[in-house]
Amino acid sequence: MKLLNLLLEIYKKEYDLNLKEGLTKTINIGKTLNILEKKYLSKFIFTKSKNSFYIKTFNTNINTLLNGIIKDANNLGWFPSFMETEEYTGKWDKTYFKEGEIKLRFEAKFDEEIIEKIPKILYHITPTQNVDKILKIGLVPKSRSKASYHPDRVYLSKGLEDIENLGEMFYQKTGIKNWTILKINTDLVPGDYLRLYTDPNYTSGFYTLNNIPPQAIEKIKEINF
C-alpha cells in the first residue's frame, strides 16, 4: 500500500499540473480555422475535413512554418500530423522540408470524447526489444509506429485480436518482425489517474496521455512475423 500511495501522489501531481497548464483541451475546429484564416488567409489555402484540417502553400520555408502557423495552431491544441512535399509524403517530420511547396494536415492534440467507463483489461503491443524496459519503468507516452505523428500517446486495444491486427500493420510499416503483447490491468493504475480518449483513426481501442506503471503491466504473448 505504501508503494501504491507513493505512486498515486506522483501521478496525481503530474495530472494536476497538466490541468493547470491547459494541456488537455483542443479548441474546436471551427473556431480554430476562424482564428487562423484571419491571420494567414493570404498565405495558405485552408481545407476542412471532419476531424482535421489542411493547409497548402506553394512557397514557404520551415522557419516561417514553425514560428508562424504551426506555433499558433499548437497554442489552439492542434499539431501537424502528416505532410506532402515534392520529395516526401508521410508523417510530419520537419527535417524533410526546407522550403518550397507543402501541404500539411493538422489533427487535434486531445480528442473531445473521454471514456468514462474504463475497461478492466486493455492490451498494448510493442517491439519485443522494448519489453524489459517497459516492465521496469512502465509505459511512457511517445510517438512511434503510427501512420501519422501523434505526440505523447500510448495506444491501447479492447481485444486481443485487435491488438494482433495492429501488430501486423506495424510490421508492414516498420519491418520489425518481433513484437510482444502486454496486458494492462487498469485496476492496478493508482487512483483515478488513468484517462482514456477515443481516436477517429483508431476505432478498435483508445489512447492515453498518462504513464502506465509497471505493476499494471503483464507480458502475455510474443508474435513473430
Side-chain angles (χ1 to χ4, degrees), residues 3-18 137-140 188-194 210-215:
L3 176 60
L4 286 176
N5 290 336
L6 176 62
L7 286 168
L8 176 58
E9 283 301 310
I10 293 172
Y11 286 113
K12 192 71 173 173
K13 288 178 182 178
E14 178 191 332
Y15 176 62
D16 290 341
L17 179 62
N18 285 347
I137 68 170
L139 277 167
V140 180
L188 297 180
V189 178
D192 60 353
Y193 171 73
L194 185 64
N210 308 126
N211 294 348
I212 298 177
Q215 78 269 14

Side-chain angles (χ1 to χ4, degrees), residues 151-169:
D152 304 328
R153 294 184 178 188
V154 169
Y155 278 81
L156 303 165
S157 176
K158 295 174 282 189
L160 196 55
E161 183 177 351
D162 291 329
I163 206 69
E164 290 178 354
N165 292 336
L166 190 63
E168 184 173 357
M169 185 186 76

Side-chain angles (χ1 to χ4, degrees), residues 4-122:
L4 286 176
N5 290 336
L6 176 62
L7 286 168
L8 176 58
E9 283 301 310
I10 293 172
Y11 286 113
K12 192 71 173 173
K13 288 178 182 178
E14 178 191 332
Y15 176 62
D16 290 341
L17 179 62
N18 285 347
L19 287 180
K20 291 177 182 177
E21 292 181 350
L23 297 180
T24 58
K25 183 175 177 60
T26 289
I27 304 302
N28 74 66
I29 191 170
K31 187 177 293 185
T32 294
L33 285 177
N34 285 338
I35 294 170
L36 295 178
E37 286 179 341
K38 286 180 180 178
K39 186 172 182 179
Y40 296 104
L41 188 58
S42 63
K43 299 179 180 179
F44 298 100
I45 299 170
F46 289 84
T47 306
K48 177 184 175 183
S49 67
K50 183 178 180 181
N51 299 306
S52 60
F53 66 90
Y54 296 81
I55 64 166
K56 184 175 182 178
T57 182
F58 298 98
N59 186 21
T60 191
N61 61 69
I62 189 62
N63 289 328
T64 299
L65 285 175
L66 291 174
N67 296 319
I69 194 167
I70 289 178
K71 181 179 179 180
D72 289 339
N74 179 70
N75 291 337
L76 295 167
W78 296 81
F79 66 94
S81 63
F82 198 83
M83 62 188 287
E84 297 179 34
T85 69
E86 293 180 356
E87 295 81 21
Y88 171 79
T89 298
K91 69 178 184 178
W92 162 251
D93 187 333
K94 65 181 180 181
T95 63
Y96 286 124
F97 180 73
K98 291 184 178 180
E99 60 182 3
E101 181 179 338
I102 189 171
K103 183 178 181 180
L104 286 177
R105 182 174 74 200
F106 285 80
E107 296 186 29
K109 285 185 180 181
F110 310 104
D111 298 299
E112 294 183 5
E113 186 175 356
I114 300 177
I115 304 303
E116 298 293 341
K117 187 176 181 181
I118 296 177
K120 180 178 180 180
I121 300 297
L122 293 168

Side-chain angles (χ1 to χ4, degrees), residues 129-163:
Q129 63 190 23
N130 297 336
V131 171
D132 288 344
K133 184 176 181 180
I134 290 172
L135 294 177
K136 289 180 181 178
I137 68 170
L139 277 167
V140 180
K142 53 190 171 183
S143 179
R144 287 185 179 173
S145 302
K146 300 178 180 66
S148 61
Y149 175 82
H150 287 278
D152 304 328
R153 294 184 178 188
V154 169
Y155 278 81
L156 303 165
S157 176
K158 295 174 282 189
L160 196 55
E161 183 177 351
D162 291 329
I163 206 69

